[in-house]
Amino acid sequence: MTRPLGLLILGRQGSGKGTQAAHIASASGVVHISTGDMLRQAVADQTELGVQADAIMKSGGLVSDDIMIGIVEQRLRQDDVVARGFLLDGFPRTVAQAEALAGFEGVTIDMAINLNVPVEECTTRMMARGRDDDTEDAIRRRLDLYEAETEAPLRAWAEERGIWRVVDGLGTEDEVATRMAEALGEVGA
Ligand code: AP5
Ligand code: MG
């Protein structure tokens, strides 16, 4: 039996990670894990984590590495993920998160896809979506943080491992999904 896949989707806020991750999960059977969705669920359930994360998310800041690493490590140990593999959306967002992920027992990362969409288009998409944290200030802060903490350092980290792929995220949802499927074909997804 072949080993289940470990996939990452990276890209600016509003680039369409969540949208494309849903396509990939239904086509290939891997489990879509969105750390943003997990945090929004915790906020809705008013758990201790949710209460802490709420203000951070609304301001466009990042929840601490320790907390995020703990949540993801726990999720990756669950039976569905062990059996079917995973597509992480929104994690890692810092090199510390990436290093922790690579060190989790039994976890292999086959590909990190960077969904490439220019800042202006991401802003337009987020303003049209109108989630709770899609205010002008929070959007600007998230995009700035992405440039500084995520894109360049994670690109270097993933290139070193030979797992970095860039996919053009402009065009219709279906056009982008076709490009994603082509890239993922390389690892048999
Ligand atoms: P998270 O939920 O991950 O938000 P994000 O990174 O800001 O990314 P989005 O979910 O906003 O964008 P997306 O790329 O998924 O785009 P989408 O598919 O929705 O994180 C939220 C917060 O949680 C963070 O700010 C942080 O505080 C915290 N957090 C999460 N993970 C963390 C971590 N690891 N460490 C620390 N903190 C963490 O698409 C956007 C819109 O565009 C949609 O309306 C969609 O319908 C539309 N769209 C999609 N594709 C297209 C297309 N091809 N053409 C036109 N429109 C399109
Ligand atoms: Mg998302």
Side-chain angles (χ1 to χ4, degrees):
M1 203 178 100
T2 53
R3 177 180 58 76
L5 289 168
L7 306 170
L8 312 181
I9 184 162
L10 308 171
R12 283 194 179 92
Q13 292 70 17
S15 57
K17 299 182 295 294
T19 306
Q20 291 301 322
H23 281 279
I24 296 164
S26 71
S28 71
V30 295
V31 179
H32 173 203
I33 303 173
S34 158
T35 46
D37 287 350
M38 289 167 84
L39 291 171
R40 281 184 285 278
Q41 188 60 52
V43 172
D45 295 343
Q46 294 187 304
T47 64
E48 200 181 316
L49 165 68
V51 172
Q52 277 183 46
D54 195 19
I56 300 172
M57 291 168 78
K58 282 204 176 103
S59 74
L62 288 177
V63 175
S64 81
D65 284 339
D66 283 355
I67 291 179
M68 295 313 302
I69 289 165
I71 293 175
V72 171
E73 185 171 24
Q74 220 178 28
R75 182 70 186 92
L76 292 181
R77 283 211 211 104
Q78 288 169 353
D79 292 347
D80 57 339
V81 177
V82 172
R84 289 157 48 200
F86 60 86
L87 170 58
L88 271 170
D89 157 13
F91 185 99
R93 252 184 169 84
T94 63
V95 170
Q97 292 181 12
E99 297 289 2
L101 173 66
F104 291 162
E105 210 189 312
V107 168
T108 304
I109 303 154
D110 298 283
M111 189 177 276
I113 294 195
N114 184 40
L115 192 54
N116 189 29
V117 176
V119 173
E120 301 71 33
E121 171 68 11
C122 289
T123 308
T124 308
R125 288 183 188 180
M126 279 188 276
M127 292 306 281
R129 181 182 61 184
R131 209 169 63 194
D132 252 13
D133 56 345
D134 287 337
T135 59
E136 223 173 306
D137 280 354
I139 288 175
R140 193 173 322 110
R141 177 137 185 246
R142 270 143 76 196
L143 288 168
D144 286 349
L145 268 175
Y146 182 75
E147 305 300 324
E149 305 240 355
T150 305
E151 166 101 23
L154 284 189
R155 177 184 179 148
W157 175 85
E159 277 183 345
E160 215 170 88
R161 285 164 179 74
I163 56 172
W164 180 257
R165 297 290 177 284
V166 179
V167 169
D168 178 3
L170 286 175
T172 65
E173 205 179 303
D174 285 348
E175 284 166 351
V176 180
T178 303
R179 287 182 212 129
M180 295 288 273
E182 266 167 35
L184 287 165
E186 277 180 52
V187 289

